[in-house]
């Protein structure tokens, strides 16, 4: 069988998983690829004790893999954006196809990398960059190619979802769960990327480009993490019939595109509400197909390796195919992408969950209500909690109807200025996810 020579740079969680999947599933992979995928060269600063590197050339300098004339496909699994970009560009210029799991690299430098790959007649594949083992790139780029994508919303950071689930179900401390996610190999090298929403923003920007045919615009994503979430708000949301999830949301409107990552209350009856632990899911609304949901493991060695190997098989199937007959990296040639405007957050309308700590005395509720009314914000539901023993403050939880963030900002400013209010108002957006 025709051999295709593969070089792998980076032998951490995903690199190790990829070698193992290639070895364990060799027969089915070769049959599907109609070629044998042979790892001939590995570049890694150190060995991975879980990997058998017999008959594989090992270099400590990863650029030796990029310059190895035997290597036909380079798999970039080192992470980061600067050395990884140099490595990938060196491989492209040397005429090698590239597979990467690096969402930061694609989100930040993807436009330049894809253009370079087009110029050199090679492909860059990145299924493993988003939602671990879920074939969401394939789904958006190929499976849904007949649809206008109206919007998508996803739980696209496994570490964050794992933390939120453990906090909600077991009352565990944030830092304790994060340490476990790191030990399990879910978290980024810098875990603030997970908990501050940066990792989800990287993935969202790629999904949005695939969905709407726009260039990658990482700087345009509004990003809020999960570090400020409290178990108190998780509990009140449940009382109101909602689950709090950390979502990446992209929507297309006539006037432009929404791109945002933030904690979100979603109705508890949605399938997405049951996506727990390290699992990811992406809900995509297509104009013809309607809503479709993609679910699976969002992080970890084997699931991410599953996506890396799928890309290798796809590339192997395309060997010898003219560039004009290959599927472009974002589904549309770089020159045909449309640069749509990004809608400012102040104009984006959602319902809101607002919690404020207020003095338990007459007139406070009516003053709060009149501030909402002045901003044209209507109240959908309201809960007031009795003060705890010996306390004078009560929690007032307000669920609003749809209101633009700009009006909510003004109302919250007015409420926080009232003497009867203690501290800041907690604000979390709500999404019905029904179109
Ligand atoms: N740190 C990422 C996550 C890994 O937790 O989802 C997969 O991209």
């Amino acid at each position: 069988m025709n051999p295709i020579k593969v070089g792998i740079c980076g032998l951490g969680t995903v690199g190790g998983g990829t070698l193992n999947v290639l070895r364990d599933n060799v027969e089915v992979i070769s049959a599907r690829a109609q070629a044998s995928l042979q790892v001939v060269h590995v570049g890694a600063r150190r060995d991975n004790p879980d990997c058998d590197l017999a008959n594989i050339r090992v270099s400590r300098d990863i650029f030796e893999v990029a310059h190895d004339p035997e290597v036909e496909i380079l798999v970039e699994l080192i992470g980061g954006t600067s050395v990884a970009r140099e490595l990938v560009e060196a491989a492209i210029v040397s005429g090698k196809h590239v597979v990467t799991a690096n969402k930061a690299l694609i989100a930040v430098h993807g436009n330049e990398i894809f253009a370079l790959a087009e110029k050199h007649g090679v492909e860059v594949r990145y299924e493993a960059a988003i939602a671990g083992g879920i074939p969401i790139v394939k789904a958006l780029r190929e499976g849904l190619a007949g649809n206008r994508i109206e919007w998508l919303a996803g739980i696209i950071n496994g570490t964050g979802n794992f933390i939120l689930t453990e906090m909600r179900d077991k009352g565990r401390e944030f830092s304790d769960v994060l340490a476990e996610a790191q030990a399990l190999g879910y978290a980024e090298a810098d875990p603030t990327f997970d908990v501050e929403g940066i990792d989800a923003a990287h993935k969202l920007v790629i999904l949005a480009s695939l969905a709407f045919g726009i260039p990658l615009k990482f700087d345009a994503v509004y990003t809020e993490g999960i570090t400020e979430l409290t178990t108190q708000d998780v509990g009140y949301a449940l009382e109101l019939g909602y689950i709090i999830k950390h979502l990446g949301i992209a929507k297309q409107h006539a006037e432009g595109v929404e791109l945002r990552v933030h904690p979100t209350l979603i109705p508890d009856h949605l399938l997405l509400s049951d996506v727990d632990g390290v699992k990811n899911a992406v809900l995509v609304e297509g104009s013809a197909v309607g809503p479709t949901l993609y679910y699976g493991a969002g992080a970890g060695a084997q699931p991410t390796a599953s996506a890396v190997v799928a890309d290798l098989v796809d590339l192997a199937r395309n060997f010898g195919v003219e560039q004009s007959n290959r599927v472009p990296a974002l589904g549309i040639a770089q020159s045909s992408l449309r640069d749509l405007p990004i809608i400012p957050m102040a104009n984006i309308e959602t319902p809101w969950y607002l919690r404020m700590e207020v003095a338990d005395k007459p007139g406070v509720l009516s003053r709060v209500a009149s501030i909402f009314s002045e901003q044209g914000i209507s109240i959908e539901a309201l809960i007031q909690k009795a003060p705890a023993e010996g306390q004078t403050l009560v929690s007032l939880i307000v669920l609003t109807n749809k209101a633009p963030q700009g009006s909510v900002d003004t109302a919250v400013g007015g409420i926080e200025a009232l003497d009867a209010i203690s501290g800041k108002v907690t604000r979390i957006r709500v999404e019905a996810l029904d179109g």
Side-chain angles (χ1 to χ4, degrees), residues 103 156-158 188 193-194 196-204:
K103 51 262 161 154
I156 45 180
N157 181 265
E188 295 305 297
F193 275 41
D194 296 293
E196 298 293 357
I198 300 160
D199 178 75
H202 286 144
K203 295 165 180 168
L204 180 73

Side-chain angles (χ1 to χ4, degrees), residues 178-224:
L178 176 57
E180 188 182 344
Q182 288 177 283
L184 289 166
Y186 301 155
E188 295 305 297
D190 177 354
T192 58
F193 275 41
D194 296 293
V195 298
E196 298 293 357
I198 300 160
D199 178 75
H202 286 144
K203 295 165 180 168
L204 180 73
V205 85
I206 305 171
L207 291 176
S209 289
L210 284 161
F212 308 139
I214 57 176
L216 296 148
K217 285 175 174 262
F218 175 66
D219 292 341
V221 185
Y222 170 81
T223 307
E224 238 181 79

Side-chain angles (χ1 to χ4, degrees), residues 7-168:
I8 297 181
C9 293
L11 214 48
T13 305
V14 182
T18 300
L19 275 173
N20 293 341
V21 170
L22 283 170
R23 184 198 56 219
D24 295 347
N25 299 340
V26 62
E27 282 180 25
V28 72
I29 290 169
S30 305
R32 289 179 179 144
Q34 295 190 300
S36 75
L37 293 169
Q38 290 179 5
V39 179
V40 294
H41 198 164
V42 161
R45 269 179 293 179
R46 60 188 78 85
D47 289 343
N48 179 335
D50 296 333
C51 297
D52 176 6
L53 298 178
N55 303 320
I56 298 176
R57 183 179 163 203
V58 179
S59 297
R60 295 294 173 223
D61 176 2
I62 49 174
F63 285 88
E64 288 191 20
V65 183
H67 296 127
D68 180 345
E70 197 187 8
V71 169
E72 294 166 283
I73 305 175
L74 181 139
V75 182
E76 182 278 305
L77 302 172
I78 64 169
T81 49
S82 46
V83 178
R85 179 179 182 181
E86 282 176 47
L87 178 74
V88 162
E89 291 187 345
I92 291 170
V93 169
S94 310
K96 302 181 196 320
H97 300 292
V98 171
V99 174
T100 178
N102 190 334
K103 51 262 161 154
L105 178 70
I106 298 299
V108 177
H109 300 303
N111 295 320
E112 298 82 10
I113 289 172
F114 294 150
L116 189 70
E118 271 190 17
K119 182 172 159 203
H120 288 270
V122 295
E123 291 193 63
V124 176
R125 295 292 185 127
Y126 54 91
E127 183 68 76
I130 307 144
I134 305 173
I136 187 65
V137 173
K138 195 91 173 161
L140 282 168
R141 193 171 53 192
E142 288 152 63
L144 299 176
N147 289 259
R148 252 180 316 101
I149 305 299
E150 318 276 2
W151 56 267
L152 60 85
I155 296 169
I156 45 180
N157 181 265
T159 301
N161 203 42
F162 179 68
I163 292 172
L164 287 183
T165 306
E166 292 288 303
M167 285 173 70
R168 185 193 68 207

